[in-house]
Amino acid sequence: MGLLEGKKALVFGVLNEYSIGWHISQSLHQQGCQLAFSHLPGEKIERRVVKAVEPFKPAFLAPCDVSKDEDVARTFETAKEKFGAFDFLIHSLAFAPAEALHNPFLETSRTAWNTALDVSAYSLVALTRAALPLMNANGSIITMTYLGAEKYIPMYNVMAVAKAALECSVRYLAAELGRNEKHVRVNAISAGAIKTMAARGIGDIDKMMTHYNEKAPLPWDSDDAATHVGKTALYLCSDLSSGVTGETIYVDGGYNIVGW
Ligand SMILES: NC(=O)c1ccc[n+]([C@@H]2O[C@H](COP(=O)([O-])OP(=O)(O)OC[C@H]3O[C@@H](n4cnc5c(N)ncnc54)[C@H](O)[C@@H]3O)[C@@H](O)[C@H]2O)c1
C-alpha cells in the first residue's frame, strides 16, 4: 500500500516530461495519489501536457493562466466538480519576460517586474486562497524556489526578486494556515539547477549543470536531480513531514552550503 493511497493532488506547472512538476507527479503517483493538472491555455501546450501526464491517468486537466482571476476561479470550480475535496496543491510554475533576464537588472521595467512577481509569487497566494475551501485537513501545499532568492545569480535578475517574495509568502501562508482548523502546511523546495524549458529560458543551463556537478557535495545530474525533488515533495505531502511548515528545503546536492 502506497504512502498516499486515497489522497488527491492538483498540480500546476507541468509542461512536459522534463518539468519538475512532472517528476513530483510521478513520485506522488507511485505512492497511490490520484492526480489532476492545470496548464497554461493554448492548443499546442494542451497537446504536450495531455501526452506528458497520460501515464498518471489524470482525473481532469484544466487550462489556467494564473495571472487571470477568472481562470483561477474556473479551475477550482472544475476541481470542485470533478475532484471534490483534495489533499495537496503543487505550485511548480514561474515566468519573467525574457528581456528582464537578459538585460542588466538595473534596466528591469515596471511591467516586467509586475509580470514576474504576479505570475511567479502572487499566484501562490491566489491559488492557496482558492484551494483552501476544497482542501482536506492536514493537507500540504508545495512551491518551487531557487537559491537566487538569497544569493546573486547572473541573469536571474527579477526572477530572484520574485523567488524572495515567494519564499516570504510561504512563511506568511504557513503561519495563517497552520492556525486554521485544517492545519494545511505550506513549504518551498529550493532545487538546484535542472534542465527544463524554464531553465533554458534563463540561459547558460549546460554551464550551470557542469558547475553544480563540480561544486555540490553530492553528484548532480539533471535526471537524478528532478527525481530527488520528487522524493522531497513526497515527504512534504506525506505524514512523515507532519511537523514541518513554512520552510524552504534545499534539494540541490548540498550546493548551497559550499562557500568556495
Ligand atoms: N529548472 C530549474 O533549474 C529550477 C530550479 C529551481 C526552481 N525551479 C522552479 O521550478 C518551477 C517549475 O519550473 P521548471 O524548471 O519545471 O520549468 P517548466 O518550464 O517545465 O515549468 C514552468 C511552468 O510554468 C508554467 N507557467 C508559466 N507562466 C504561467 C502562467 N501565467 N499560468 C500558468 N502556468 C504558467 C509553464 O506553462 C510551465 O508549465 C518554477 O517555479 C521554477 O522557477 C526551477
Side-chain angles (χ1 to χ4, degrees):
M1 175 134 155
L3 270 179
L4 303 183
E5 216 64 58
K7 305 284 186 187
K8 296 178 194 173
L10 179 52
V11 182
F12 284 75
V14 173
L15 178 64
N16 53 35
E17 295 84 347
Y18 300 100
S19 296
I20 293 174
W22 189 92
H23 288 269
I24 293 175
S25 301
Q26 185 186 46
S27 177
L28 305 191
H29 175 73
Q30 283 167 350
Q31 293 298 322
C33 187
Q34 195 187 353
L35 298 167
F37 296 89
S38 177
H39 58 82
L40 252 186
E43 261 179 52
K44 208 170 141 195
I45 292 182
E46 187 173 342
R47 272 202 302 277
R48 248 195 236 182
V49 178
V50 167
K51 191 166 158 257
V53 303
E54 204 215 310
F56 308 134
K57 302 183 179 58
F60 65 89
L61 271 84
C64 176
D65 178 339
V66 297
S67 65
K68 296 188 174 145
D69 288 337
E70 59 277 19
D71 279 25
V72 173
R74 194 173 2 91
T75 300
F76 284 90
E77 275 305 311
T78 308
K80 190 175 174 185
E81 193 186 305
K82 305 218 167 140
F83 225 10
F86 62 93
D87 304 280
F88 314 124
L89 175 70
I90 310 298
H91 176 275
S92 183
L93 60 90
F95 176 78
E99 76 274 7
L101 301 171
H102 299 132
N103 291 339
F105 180 65
L106 187 61
E107 303 302 326
T108 309
S109 68
R110 195 183 297 272
T111 317
W113 176 287
N114 288 345
T115 302
L117 271 91
D118 184 16
V119 174
S120 315
Y122 179 72
S123 64
L124 178 69
V125 182
L127 296 187
T128 298
R129 189 168 57 242
L132 193 58
L134 292 176
M135 286 185 76
N136 288 321
N138 306 313
S140 177
I141 298 175
I142 300 175
T143 187
M144 292 303 309
T145 187
Y146 182 56
L147 184 64
E150 23 171 333
K151 296 278 196 291
Y152 169 71
I153 306 280
M155 293 193 291
Y156 210 56
N157 295 0
V158 73
M159 188 54 83
V161 181
K163 292 302 190 192
L166 181 73
E167 291 181 15
C168 187
S169 305
V170 164
R171 291 187 284 274
Y172 275 77
L173 290 171
E176 288 187 7
L177 269 57
R179 297 283 174 177
N180 176 290
E181 61 196 5
K182 290 189 178 176
H183 308 305
V184 168
R185 297 178 293 108
V186 188
N187 291 284
I189 297 176
S190 184
I194 299 178
K195 263 194 205 182
T196 62
M197 195 66 99
R200 282 175 206 280
I202 290 161
D204 276 350
I205 183 67
D206 288 321
K207 217 162 128 187
M208 265 179 106
M209 295 306 303
T210 310
H211 177 66
Y212 262 78
N213 229 338
E214 283 168 4
K215 195 175 163 190
L218 291 170
W220 191 258
D221 75 69
S222 208
D223 292 345
D224 291 346
T227 307
H228 294 316
V229 173
K231 287 183 190 169
T232 297
L234 171 62
Y235 155 74
L236 286 174
C237 286
S238 80
D239 190 52
L240 293 172
S241 60
S242 55
V244 180
T245 197
E247 299 292 347
T248 294
I249 299 181
Y250 289 92
V251 182
D252 64 352
Y255 179 88
N256 75 94
I257 66 159
V258 179
W260 191 79

